């Protein structure tokens, strides 16, 4: 594994008492994001020293200590009384497949191999479950009254294991806009499937994986599923006894052994008249897990506003500090997470120093959230236990997986068009001689997969600022380099490279800071568009 150049570390450890260089692009405000500081933070945070910043691991503890120290160095005030920390209560669940006997049985066992054919975990933080449960195929597993869609048709799901397709019903020539057209709605997300199964009293859910429907490869799911899983430890929280994924190949074998044609059932599930189908198989045996309770921490610091009235309102900048940490296995065991999300974590530190140098009328919060990789847990906890009144929170701007390739002519503001934020984004982009990239079809449901979504669900206008794609230098080679990151996503190869051109990352951070400043100085807080689902929540 590459080791990081030591000449980056002294600046990081000394708090980046550096002279801010002039940036090579137009700005609205004088406060500049220092690329040298950003690089130093990124190099250190994604080094082996921090062991992949894993949830519940030593590397995560080191990261929290580093962030609160650097928040103080930057001049941020503690956001939680006298502390920068907000404790997040979490349950850790480690599946123990070698000690378990659970499997799917017909006349004989399918002998599914954990990691290769399926992955599962306890959704209720209970260490042992005995199963002898029916399997029920429920298509997409969606109940959406506004779409006149009900996959359940009154069938009793209590105590059953639901086998579900991910994604949502596809558009047709007659209904090109149903379920958002080609875009993925929240109904298509795995979190919705689990929530709906729980509401219906099911004992568990198995999601059928395909690369196309899940928008994520099996190797990525396997890497996560083989390790410890985490859930918020709310005292009133309930969960399924088992939840997980089954490969398309294993699912086809299961359905065929039950006398069913999975592909035919998939086609049937595209119609409103679909009805659940019993699978002539049962989930049997014992599933064992190791359970532990732990605390993780969000880190939050404040730049107080300067206006006597508006300082009571807030703009949030967020990024998740965690990655996959150190995992068992041969060879390289550290998932350094340089781009995801060492980049956003480092960018917020550099932005904070600039924001302190030039406060805005409204207050500003820099929020590093925990356990995003485990299901947006840190941001969900903050949204449920806010350190600042949510109805006084003007907007939440999130950074996750930043541009490591080079400067662009455009910037992604996907989701900003759901609110007034798009107006501010266009203004800021113009002031920086950039353009906001045109809206794209969200086939992967990206709007529901990052920390801004936790804020949007509470009614706070929110979105993530993404990388541009219209590269200034050698566009074809730059685009190829950016696409190449897909092979490193959630792999041990997501490592920092000192040869990276971070001018684009700095530009992305600067745009985010300028946009936050625009919002913080505006006469009124932004609002959702009237017909947006989150507008009702805000009201």
């Amino acid at each position: 594994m590459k080791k990081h150049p030591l000449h980056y570390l002294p600046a990081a450890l000394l708090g980046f008492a550096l002279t801010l260089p002039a940036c090579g692009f137009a700005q609205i405000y004088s406060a500049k994001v220092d690329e040298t500081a950003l690089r130093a933070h990124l190099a250190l945070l994604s080094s082996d020293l921090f062991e992949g910043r894993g949830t519940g691991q030593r590397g995560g503890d080191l990261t929290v200590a580093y962030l609160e120290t650097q928040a103080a160095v930057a001049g941020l005030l503690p956001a939680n009384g006298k502390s920068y920390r907000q404790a997040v209560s979490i349950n850790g669940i480690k599946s123990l497949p070698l000690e378990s006997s659970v499997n799917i049985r017909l006349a004989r066992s399918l002998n599914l191999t954990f990691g290769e054919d399926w992955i599962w975990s306890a959704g209720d933080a209970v260490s042992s479950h005995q199963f002898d449960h029916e399997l029920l195929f429920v298509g997409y597993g969606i109940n959406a009254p506004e779409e006149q869609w009900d996959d359940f048709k009154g069938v009793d799901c209590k105590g059953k294991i639901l086998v579900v397709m991910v994604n949502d019903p596809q558009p047709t020539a007659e209904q090109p806009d149903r379920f958002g057209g080609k875009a993925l709605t929240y109904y298509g997300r795995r979190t919705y499937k689990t929530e709906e199964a729980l509401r219906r009293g099911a004992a568990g859910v198995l999601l059928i994986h395909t690369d196309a429907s899940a928008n994520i490869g099996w190797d990525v799911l396997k890497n996560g599923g083989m390790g410890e899983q985490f859930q918020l430890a709310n005292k009133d929280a309930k969960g399924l006894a088992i939840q997980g994924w089954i490969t398309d190949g294993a699912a086809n074998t299961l359905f065929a052994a039950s006398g069913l044609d999975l592909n035919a059932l998939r086609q049937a599930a595209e119609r409103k008249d679909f009805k659940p189908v019993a699978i002539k198989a049962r989930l049997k045996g014992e599933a064992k897990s190791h359970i532990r309770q732990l605390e993780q921490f969000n880190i939050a610091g404040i730049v107080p506003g300067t206006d006597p009235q508006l300082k009571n309102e807030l703009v949030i900048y967020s990024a998740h500090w965690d990655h996959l940490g150190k995992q068992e296995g041969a060879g390289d065991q550290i998932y350094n997470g340089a781009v995801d999300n060492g980049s956003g974590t480092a960018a917020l530190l550099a932005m904070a120093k600039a924001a302190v140098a030039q406060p805005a009328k409204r207050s500003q919060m820099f929020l590093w959230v925990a356990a995003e990789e485990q299901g947006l847990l840190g941001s969900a906890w903050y949204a449920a236990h806010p350190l600042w009144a949510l109805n006084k929170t003007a907007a939440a701007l999130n950074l996750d997986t930043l541009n490591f390739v080079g400067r662009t002519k455009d910037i992604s503001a996907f989701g900003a068009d759901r609110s007034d934020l798009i107006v501010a984004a266009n203004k800021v982009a113009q002031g920086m001689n950039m353009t906001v990239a045109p809206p794209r079809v969200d086939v992967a449901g990206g709007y529901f997969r990052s920390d801004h979504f936790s804020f949007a669900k509470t009614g706070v206008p929110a979105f993530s600022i993404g990388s541009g794609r219209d590269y200034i230098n050698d566009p074809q080679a730059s685009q190829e380099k950016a696409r190449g990151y897909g092979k490193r996503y959630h792999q041990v190869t997501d490592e920092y490279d000192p040869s990276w051109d971070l001018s684009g990352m700095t530009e992305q951070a600067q745009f985010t800071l300028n946009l936050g400043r625009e919002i913080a100085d505006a006469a009124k807080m932004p609002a959702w568009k009237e017909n947006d689902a989150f507008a009702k929540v805000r009201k």
Side-chain angles (χ1 to χ4, degrees):
M1 175 177 290
K2 298 186 295 291
K3 300 300 181 183
H4 298 300
L6 292 178
H7 67 270
Y8 287 122
L9 301 188
L13 298 175
L14 291 173
F16 305 105
L18 306 172
T19 302
L20 300 181
C23 296
F25 43 89
Q27 301 292 347
I28 299 175
Y29 306 108
S30 61
K32 302 294 190 295
V33 175
D34 183 354
E35 181 178 329
T36 304
L38 195 162
R39 182 181 292 275
H41 286 302
L42 174 57
L44 185 60
L45 285 164
S46 59
S47 70
D48 282 3
L49 178 66
F50 284 82
E51 299 179 350
R53 307 185 304 281
T55 298
Q57 297 183 11
R58 187 182 74 140
D61 295 340
L62 291 172
T63 304
V64 166
Y66 181 77
L67 290 175
E68 65 179 348
T69 300
Q70 292 302 321
V73 169
L76 298 176
L77 300 182
N80 192 15
K82 295 182 179 181
S83 177
Y84 293 98
R85 298 189 180 200
Q86 180 189 35
V88 180
S89 297
I90 290 177
N91 289 324
I93 301 100
K94 177 71 168 66
S95 299
L96 302 174
L98 296 180
E99 300 177 24
S100 302
S101 60
V102 66
N103 217 305
I104 295 176
R105 290 177 170 82
L106 298 94
R108 57 182 177 80
S109 172
L110 286 184
N111 292 321
L112 299 179
T113 300
F114 190 90
E116 300 304 319
D117 300 311
W118 67 340
I119 50 175
W120 49 261
S121 66
D124 57 1
V126 174
S127 61
S128 178
H129 282 289
Q130 293 285 344
F131 292 100
D132 187 1
H133 293 66
E134 297 177 36
L135 269 64
L136 181 69
F137 177 65
V138 292
Y140 283 109
I142 293 173
N143 179 36
E146 71 278 11
E147 294 277 354
Q148 294 82 52
W149 193 278
D150 177 14
D151 280 327
F152 298 95
K153 305 295 191 300
V155 173
D156 186 5
C157 297
K158 291 181 180 178
K160 297 178 181 178
I161 307 298
L162 306 186
V163 181
V164 188
M165 297 159 56
V166 288
N167 216 297
D168 46 27
Q170 299 302 294
T172 64
E174 296 77 18
Q175 292 181 293
D177 297 323
R178 72 175 186 175
F179 286 96
K182 292 183 178 180
L184 184 71
T185 69
Y186 186 61
Y187 290 115
R189 293 286 296 140
R190 58 180 171 177
T191 47
Y192 168 79
K193 316 291 186 181
T194 303
E195 291 164 356
E196 188 63 30
L198 188 60
R199 283 191 286 268
R200 293 181 178 272
V205 62
L206 289 175
L207 306 174
I208 302 173
H209 173 270
T210 68
D211 288 351
S213 64
N215 289 293
I216 194 170
W218 182 256
D219 283 347
V220 175
L221 291 175
K222 177 181 175 180
N223 283 342
M226 297 293 282
E228 190 175 18
Q229 307 291 295
F230 298 92
Q231 302 160 359
L232 291 181
N234 295 320
K235 62 179 181 179
D236 298 323
K238 297 180 180 180
L240 299 170
I242 192 168
Q243 55 193 41
W245 293 82
I246 184 169
T247 65
D248 186 54
N252 271 286
T253 300
L254 165 63
F255 278 70
S258 304
L260 300 170
D261 184 335
L262 178 55
N263 288 329
L265 288 173
R266 281 182 169 127
Q267 294 177 12
E270 297 293 338
R271 302 191 303 268
K272 287 186 177 181
D273 61 357
F274 168 83
K275 294 181 180 179
V277 176
I279 303 172
K280 297 175 183 178
R282 300 179 75 87
L283 187 77
K284 288 190 174 186
E286 184 180 15
K288 290 186 176 182
S289 306
H290 177 264
I291 309 297
R292 63 171 175 145
Q293 296 180 333
L294 63 149
E295 273 190 336
Q296 294 294 273
F297 296 94
N298 296 331
I299 300 298
I302 297 290
V303 180
T306 59
D307 184 273
Q309 298 300 321
L310 295 181
K311 69 179 182 181
N312 296 316
E313 298 173 353
L314 183 74
V315 174
I316 292 178
Y317 309 94
S318 64
H320 73 89
W321 59 254
D322 66 303
H323 195 56
L324 303 184
K326 192 173 183 179
Q327 299 191 18
E328 298 176 359
D332 188 354
Q333 299 176 341
I334 297 177
Y335 289 73
N336 300 76
V339 176
D340 181 17
N341 187 31
S343 60
T345 304
L348 249 63
L349 285 170
M351 290 163 56
K353 190 172 181 68
V356 168
Q358 188 181 8
K361 292 181 179 179
R362 287 184 175 85
S363 297
Q364 299 169 83
M365 176 185 289
F366 289 82
L367 176 64
W368 292 268
V369 293
E372 184 270 353
E373 301 291 2
Q374 307 302 325
L376 315 184
L377 301 188
S379 58
W381 184 273
Y382 179 95
H385 308 86
L387 300 177
W388 199 287
L390 293 173
N391 64 355
K392 294 292 185 180
T393 302
L397 306 177
N398 187 58
L399 287 172
D400 191 347
T401 310
L402 274 59
N403 174 8
F404 63 95
V405 177
R407 286 187 57 211
T408 58
K409 299 176 184 177
D410 63 342
I411 194 80
S412 172
F414 180 71
D417 56 341
R418 305 180 70 137
S419 69
D420 296 343
L421 292 176
I422 189 61
V423 177
N426 282 321
K427 178 181 177 181
V428 170
Q430 184 178 14
M432 295 177 64
N433 296 321
M434 302 174 74
T435 59
V436 171
R440 56 181 173 80
V441 178
D442 187 15
V443 295
Y447 190 79
F448 312 108
R449 295 172 59 177
S450 204
D451 284 306
H452 67 262
F453 182 53
S454 296
F455 293 97
K457 287 197 296 185
T458 69
V460 175
F463 73 102
S464 290
I465 292 83
S467 304
R469 288 293 181 266
D470 188 3
Y471 293 96
I472 294 173
N473 296 322
D474 200 348
Q476 185 173 349
S478 294
Q479 289 172 5
E480 185 176 343
K481 185 176 182 180
R483 285 192 296 269
Y485 174 69
K487 296 180 180 179
R488 305 200 305 276
Y489 174 71
H490 279 206
Q491 305 298 319
V492 294
T493 48
D494 184 5
E495 298 177 309
Y496 170 74
D497 185 339
S499 71
W500 281 345
D501 177 355
L502 297 191
S503 60
M505 189 178 295
T506 306
E507 187 175 56
Q508 192 175 351
Q510 188 72 60
F511 173 86
T512 306
L513 184 62
N514 288 355
L515 176 57
R517 179 64 184 261
E518 181 71 23
I519 298 165
D521 284 342
K524 61 179 183 178
M525 297 199 302
W528 296 98
K529 292 182 177 178
E530 273 191 36
N531 61 347
D532 194 275
F534 299 118
K536 297 178 182 178
V537 183
R538 186 65 156 179
K539 289 179 181 178

